[in-house]
Each structure stands twice: as C-alpha cells, then as structure tokens.
C-alpha cells in the first residue's frame, strides 16, 4: 500500500562508492546459525494449522522434518528434549504481505516466530541474495516488481520501475517479471481516493489481461485494492487474491457472499490499515516482545502515515468487511505490510492476529490465517501445518493461543527447518543495540561546512562523501571537489539504469555511519547553492522511518541563492533522530551544482 518508505534501499547505495562500511539496520555481529538435530517436544498441545489435534503429544523432529506425532512416543537416544507442558506448538507463522530489502528483516521476522514471508513488492536484485535458505532467517517468496500504471502507486518510492497502460502489454510485462524470478504477480488497481491522494491506475481491462497473462504462465495473480468497487472488479477479473481490505465504505449486504463465489483469498493487512486510520501500536510496551525489538523497529512501530483528513471510519469498514468475509467462507490470510509506518517485521504478526480476532475470527481461525491458509493459498505444500513429513517450521508458546490469541506473544522457542533459533542471543544483541541507540544531541545551531579549508570536513559527524546508484548497476556518476571555498558536484543521473537513480553528496552527522543525532532543538537546514540542471533534492533520513528518506526539492540558478528548509517541512519527523542528509540530483540528466555555507540554524 502507499507509504512513506521512499527509497528504502538508499542508505546501502549512498555508502557504496565511498569505501566506507555500509549501513546496517541492525548491529552487524551475526548470530551463529544453529545446527539441525533430533528433537522431541513432550507433553505439548499441538495446533496443526487448523485445529488442536491433541493436548499432550510428543512431536519428534529429525533434521529438517517432522517425523512423528503421538501421545506415547519415546524420544530417540541423543535427542534434545523440550518440555511442552502447559505450552502450545504451532506451525511457524507465515506473513502473507511484507516488503523486504535486506537480510536483517528476515532475521527479525524469525525472532518473532515468522518462518516464511511473502514479499509483495521488492527489487529483484535485492531478493536474489535473500532466497538462499538459512536457519537464522525467515524464508522468502516474492512478487518482485508490481504491475502498475505510469505514475501510479508503486512509482512514488524514488526509483524507476517498468509500468504498463494497455491490455496488449500484459503478457510481455508478466513474462519479464517471471524472468526476473517473481514467484507470483502483484497488480495495483487503486486510484488513491480512499486515502485522499489521487493517482493514476490501471484500467479494469488491463487488470483482466494481467491476471490472464499470469495464469497462462502458471503464476498466481494478486491485486492491491483500497475501495469496494476495485475489490469487486479484481474479483470479477479472476484474481487469486485481494491485498488489503477496502476502507471507503461499510460493506454492503451480500458483498461477502458474492465474493465467496470467486474463490479468491483476502489478505486484509489490518495492522497497517489500522495505522493508516490513526491507531498507534502498543507492541513495544509488551514485556514478552520488547526485549527482542531493535531500536529501528521500535521507532517504526511509532511512526505514522502523513495522511490528512483520514479518520477511524475506514478502519471500522475494514473490520466489518473481514467479519463478513470470514462468515461467508472466504479464506483470510494474515499479512502485516511491514515495514510501513506502525508496523515492524515479525512482531506485527502478533498484532495482526489480535486484530483478526477483534474483527470476528476465532483465535483458531486467526492462527489458521497465519499458518495453513497462506501455505495452501500459495502452494507451499511443505509448511504451514504440523504433520509427519513436513518441514519442522515450529513455534512454541506458553499458554493456549486458541483460547487467548495474545499467548502467541509468549514465545518459548522457534525452529526453522528443524534448527532452533538462539533467542537468548537475539535478546542480547537487542540489549546491546538499545544501550547505544540514544541520539547524540546537537544542542546549538551553527555551521556544518563552509569549505574554506579546501576539504570535505564538517563541524561534526563524517565528512561529505560521494553517493550514486552504482551499487545496483546504475550509470549515474558524481564527482565532489572543493573549489573556491565551495563544494562542487558534477554528475549525471542516468535514467532507467538502476533500481534507484541519483547522484550527489551525503552527510552523516553522527559519530558513525547512520548513527542518529538529535537536532530537534534547532529549526532546520540552510545552505547556499548555484548550479545548472534540474531535479535537485534534499533527502532527510531518520531512524524512526527505517532509513526511509523524507524529501524536499529546490532549484539552483546561475547565481548563489540561499535555500532554507525548516525541519517541519519534512513531514513525519521532529528532528530527534536524523541519520543522514543527502543533497544532489534525483532527476535524469547532467548537473553542475555548487554548495556553500551549509548550516543547521
């Protein structure tokens, strides 16, 4: 869905050409992958993905697979034995709607019992590196690049993507996505009206053509919607799944019964939808979850959407629609849409489960929505259930989540393909990150760089560095020089050569790359600028937005002029956690830009 995680890959690109250590969204020290072993979980309640099959079973695991379930089984010699008394064993959770950019996000997912994620829009080159299974991170399937209209939803995130606007382009578009490795096809039918932002969207005929093109290649087609009418349209088009729940009006009588005839599933993403309509997460206050939440995840949970004129009515409509759909037998899948504002990887699945129950599902139905239902819908036949022969993707929790859905938060153990995650190591890693996460204050306004020394030095933080899209194979270039007491940027932003295209200069004001600083006691950023070209931007990175930049544009003419940008212009931040500032070109073309007298005022 639409969200301000613009240029989510930018921090990794920006540091690439400098020879400096790349930014990490979590501390870089890895957690040693555990080894597969023979395992026996005794006296445990087993929820098999649909129902509780027994209240005091022993589950045997050998290597990556479940081998037996029974009430009178003996543990093999040498097996690790886990006491399951008073606990419930669930299949590993499956988050049916996320957006993934790096491995740390898969690691965080696993820490909260999510063993598989279904990505709904990502850069194919980034996903390629994440597909190799590893026991210390969730496994991923991905739609890759979504299908959208020129200027439509999905094109606003600061990098160019292929688009289409006619039905006769559908097969070529789908074939290109499959060649890139897409496991299924994601389509957008959304004009933005439901969230107060009008954008171009595909025609119904083009959506129909895309669904047919995907099916012709044996791929599923799922469609992003936000309104009742678009939901009806994509169901009529034969889509396999509907992503998000409509919010523009309450569900009319008979809607769910009609929807059931089309045999599509719905992933309502209530966690993010409730965030859009003003609900604040409280996950970081849960004592069972908080010790495993990285600082960036905590800030992401507290972030909000910069939407105006949107109230809680949309959230109520979505909850009512889910209740109707469940009653009509429409499959409901649990998905969070992490890392959008108000959500975070892994942990928000526990919020989604609680919201599904609030919408009218029983706890068992909510658990099914996060286990066997997405596995069945996406043909993941080796997971999502607890049965002999299936992968040992397992989540052990204290209590009975089929009676109290909040019990999923009391995690005792997580196994991914039979390998147990060391959650104590995760907790220690988080504790270390939290102890060093406070932003250093910049108490007083003052100059950052006047370049009179002839160097790229700054008054605080790291020196200015070159940044471009070459990390992702782009051809954009930039060269920084200090000339006549000013920083001179000469470069070219090359369109279409990389997932993200830009070239310019980057300042990181903290003591280390992307370490946050607090500038909330100051008013904003100012600098003098002269140049030729077009498409100049200041991108402000903050920790709470998960390294998602907030953008302000400016112009540069033949004479030096002063640019003043208050922090308040960067909607969604108070300046307390600034991690980086980028100045440069973001629109295709050559540019020559001089910057001088940069200051925080």
């Amino acid at each position: 869905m639409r969200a301000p995680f613009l240029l989510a890959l930018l921090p990794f690109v920006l540091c690439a050409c400098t020879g400096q250590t790349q930014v990490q969204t979590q501390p870089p020290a890895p957690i040693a992958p555990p080894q597969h072993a023979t395992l026996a979980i005794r006296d445990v309640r087993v929820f098999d993905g649909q129902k509780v099959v027994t209240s005091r079973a022993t589950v045997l695991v050998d290597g990556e697979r479940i081998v037996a379930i029974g009430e009178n089984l003996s543990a093999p010699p040498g097996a690790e034995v886990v006491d399951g008394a008073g606990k419930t064993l669930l299949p590993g959770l499956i988050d049916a709607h996320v957006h993934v950019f790096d491995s740390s996000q898969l690691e965080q997912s696993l820490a909260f019992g999510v063993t598989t994620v279904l990505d709904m829009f990502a850069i194919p080159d980034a996903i390629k590196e994440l597909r190799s299974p590893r026991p210390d991170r969730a496994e991923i399937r991905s739609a890759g690049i979504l299908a959208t209209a020129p200027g439509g939803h999905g094109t606003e995130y600061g990098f160019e993507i292929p688009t289409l606007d006619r039905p006769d382009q559908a097969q070529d578009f789908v074939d290109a996505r499959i060649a890139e490795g897409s496991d299924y096809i994601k389509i957008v039918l959304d004009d933005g009206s439901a969230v107060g932002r009008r954008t171009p969207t595909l025609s119904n005929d083009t959506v129909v053509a895309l669904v047919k093109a995907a099916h012709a290649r044996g791929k599923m087609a799922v469609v992003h919607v936000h309104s009742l009418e678009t939901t009806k349209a994509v169901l009529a088009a034969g889509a396999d799944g509907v992503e998000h729940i409509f919010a523009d009006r309450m569900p009319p009588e008979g809607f769910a019964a009609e929807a059931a005839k089309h045999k599509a599933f719905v992933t309502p993403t209530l966690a993010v939808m409730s965030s859009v309509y003003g609900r604040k997460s409280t996950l970081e206050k849960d004592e069972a979850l908080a010790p495993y939440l990285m600082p960036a995840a905590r800030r992401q949970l507290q972030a909000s959407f910069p939407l105006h004129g949107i109230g809680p009515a949309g959230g109520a409509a979505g909850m009512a629609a889910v209740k109707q759909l469940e009653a009509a037998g429409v499959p409901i899948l649990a998905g969070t849409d992490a890392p959008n504002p108000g959500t975070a990887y892994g942990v928000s699945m526990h919020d989604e489960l609680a919201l599904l129950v609030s919408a009218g599902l029983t706890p068992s139905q909510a658990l099914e929505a996060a286990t066997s239902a997405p596995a069945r819908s996406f043909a993941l036949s080796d997971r999502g259930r607890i049965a002999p022969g299936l992968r040992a993707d397992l989540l052990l929790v204290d209590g009975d989540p089929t009676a109290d859905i909040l019990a999923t938060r009391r995690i005792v153990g997580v196994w991914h393909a039979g390998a147990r995650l060391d959650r104590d190591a995760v907790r220690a890693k988080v504790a270390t990150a939290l102890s060093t996460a406070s932003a250093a204050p910049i108490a007083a306004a003052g100059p950052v760089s006047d370049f009179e020394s002839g160097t790229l030095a700054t008054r605080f933080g790291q020196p200015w560095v070159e940044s471009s899209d070459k990390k992702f194979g782009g051809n954009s270039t930039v060269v920084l020089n200090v000339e006549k007491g000013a920083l001179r940027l000469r470069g070219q932003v090359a369109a279409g050569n990389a997932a993200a295209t830009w070239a310019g200069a980057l300042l990181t004001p903290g003591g280390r790359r992307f370490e946050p600083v607090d500038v909330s006691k100051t008013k904003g950023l100012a600098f003098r600028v002269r140049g030729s070209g077009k498409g100049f931007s200041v991108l402000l990175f903050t920790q709470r937005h998960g390294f998602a930049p907030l953008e302000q544009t400016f112009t540069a003419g033949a004479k030096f002029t002063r640019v003043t940008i208050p922090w308040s212009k960067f909607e969604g931040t108070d300046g307390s956690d600034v991690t980086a500032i980028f100045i440069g070109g973001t629109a295709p073309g050559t540019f020559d830009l001089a910057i001088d007298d940069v200051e925080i005022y």
Side-chain angles (χ1 to χ4, degrees):
M1 68 176 300
R2 184 171 292 98
F5 60 94
L6 312 178
L7 302 180
L9 294 175
L10 183 57
F12 302 95
V13 180
L14 292 173
C15 295
C17 62
T18 69
Q20 300 290 336
T21 302
Q22 291 184 3
V23 64
Q24 301 287 329
T25 56
Q26 295 187 6
I31 297 171
Q35 300 298 311
H36 299 290
T38 304
L39 170 69
I41 304 175
R42 297 191 307 190
D43 297 327
V44 69
R45 181 185 299 104
V46 176
F47 176 83
D48 70 352
Q50 293 180 299
K51 61 185 183 303
V52 174
V53 293
T54 179
S55 58
R56 290 197 64 183
T58 295
V59 177
L60 298 182
V61 173
D62 187 12
E64 298 184 0
R65 300 287 166 175
I66 301 165
V67 295
I69 304 169
E71 295 189 0
N72 297 301
L73 299 178
S74 299
E80 177 191 1
V81 177
V82 176
D83 182 9
K87 302 174 180 65
T88 302
L89 190 66
L90 310 166
L93 304 179
I94 300 173
D95 192 331
H97 191 126
V98 297
H99 301 279
V100 174
F101 305 102
D102 69 75
S103 61
S104 71
Q105 297 157 350
L106 298 179
E107 292 168 9
Q108 181 174 304
S109 296
L110 188 63
F112 291 100
V114 175
T115 53
T116 301
V117 300
L118 303 177
D119 174 85
M120 290 295 163
F121 175 29
I123 307 304
D125 286 347
I127 295 298
K128 284 179 184 177
E129 300 179 3
L130 303 178
R131 287 186 178 276
S132 298
R134 274 182 31 183
D136 60 341
R137 68 190 190 195
E139 196 167 314
I140 187 170
R141 300 289 188 274
S142 178
I145 298 296
L146 49 69
T148 193
H153 172 51
T155 65
E156 73 267 42
Y157 298 130
F159 50 86
E160 292 188 8
I161 62 171
T163 59
L164 72 165
D165 56 11
R166 302 192 313 271
D168 62 347
Q169 299 169 320
Q171 195 64 66
D172 286 346
F173 183 93
V174 167
D175 290 347
R177 305 289 75 73
I178 294 172
E180 290 172 343
S182 294
D183 296 297
Y184 37 86
I185 303 301
K186 168 81 175 293
I187 304 166
V188 173
L189 184 59
D190 179 11
D191 66 3
S193 59
V195 292
R197 290 182 174 179
R198 288 283 183 176
T199 56
T201 193
L202 299 171
S203 68
N204 287 358
D205 288 345
T206 303
V207 172
V208 170
L210 283 162
V211 172
K212 290 181 177 178
H215 290 170
R217 299 293 188 256
K219 297 292 185 181
M220 293 172 53
V222 300
V223 188
H224 163 117
V225 300
H226 256 177
S227 72
L228 174 62
E229 292 307 312
T230 54
T231 301
K232 290 179 177 179
V234 303
L235 290 169
D240 299 284
V242 177
E243 300 298 320
H244 310 302
I245 195 68
F246 60 86
D248 58 331
R249 55 179 291 193
M250 296 296 287
E253 185 177 352
F255 159 73
E258 184 64 27
K261 296 178 182 179
H262 294 282
K263 301 187 183 304
F265 61 80
V266 175
T267 308
T269 63
L270 294 177
V272 75
M273 294 298 291
S274 64
S275 176
V276 169
Y277 296 106
R279 175 178 173 268
K280 284 288 189 180
S281 169
T282 59
L283 292 170
E284 71 280 3
K285 298 177 183 178
D286 191 308
E287 294 181 356
L289 302 173
Y292 304 91
L293 275 174
M294 281 288 183
R298 292 166 185 256
R299 291 184 182 275
Q300 194 67 18
L301 289 171
Q302 288 303 298
S304 59
F305 281 86
L307 303 178
H308 300 290
I310 306 295
M319 298 288 274
V322 170
K323 185 174 183 177
Q324 276 200 22
L325 290 166
E326 185 283 319
V330 175
I332 303 295
L333 310 190
T336 65
D337 208 3
N340 274 290
T343 69
Y345 297 98
V347 67
S348 286
M349 176 56 73
H350 301 279
D351 197 19
E352 187 73 17
L353 291 170
L355 287 166
L356 288 172
V357 172
S358 295
L361 276 65
T362 67
S364 290
Q365 289 170 333
L367 293 171
E368 181 176 357
T371 55
S372 63
R376 185 166 55 248
S377 296
F378 283 83
L380 303 174
S381 59
D382 63 343
R383 69 198 70 187
R385 294 176 294 126
I386 296 178
L390 299 188
R391 277 168 51 118
D393 287 356
L394 302 169
L395 171 61
L396 183 65
V397 302
D398 193 16
D400 181 4
T402 66
D404 175 13
I405 197 63
L406 299 184
T408 64
R409 305 179 182 197
R410 300 194 292 272
I411 297 173
V412 176
V414 178
W415 290 265
H416 182 36
R420 185 168 189 167
L421 177 68
D422 186 347
R423 292 189 87 234
D424 289 340
V426 174
R427 183 170 180 146
K429 186 177 178 181
V430 170
T432 299
L434 289 172
S435 68
T436 59
S438 298
I442 296 177
V448 175
S449 299
D450 61 13
F451 305 105
E452 295 301 323
S453 68
T455 71
L456 300 174
T458 61
R459 182 170 65 93
F460 47 78
Q462 308 298 308
W464 293 90
V465 294
E466 298 172 358
S467 60
S468 76
D469 55 37
K470 286 191 174 182
K471 173 69 174 178
F472 286 94
N475 292 326
S476 298
T477 59
V478 66
V479 176
L480 307 187
N481 288 299
V482 177
E483 300 176 4
K484 299 180 180 179
L487 174 60
R488 188 82 174 270
L489 288 69
R490 296 182 181 90
Q492 179 178 20
V493 177
N497 295 317
T501 55
W502 54 60
L506 177 75
L507 165 71
T508 51
R512 295 177 298 174
R513 294 290 176 202
F514 286 85
E515 181 179 61
V517 299
D518 183 357
V519 297
S520 61
K521 302 300 183 184
T522 64
K523 295 181 179 180
L525 179 73
F527 52 91
R528 295 195 308 128
V529 65
R530 179 187 67 199
S532 61
K534 62 179 181 179
F536 296 117
S537 296
V538 173
L539 302 178
L540 183 74
F541 291 86
T542 65
Q543 192 177 65
R544 77 182 58 193
H545 285 91
F547 300 111
L550 307 170
E551 183 176 13
Q552 287 291 305
T553 60
F554 64 91
T555 59
K559 295 183 178 180
F560 269 109
T561 57
R562 183 175 172 83
V563 175
T564 302
I565 307 176
W567 302 129
S568 60
K569 290 289 186 180
F570 295 99
E571 189 172 8
T573 181
D574 61 1
S576 64
D577 59 344
V578 172
T579 55
I581 299 169
F582 168 87
I583 304 176
T586 54
T590 59
F591 65 88
D592 188 336
L593 186 67
I595 303 168
D596 199 4
D597 297 328
V598 181
E599 66 173 308
I600 291 175
Y601 68 93

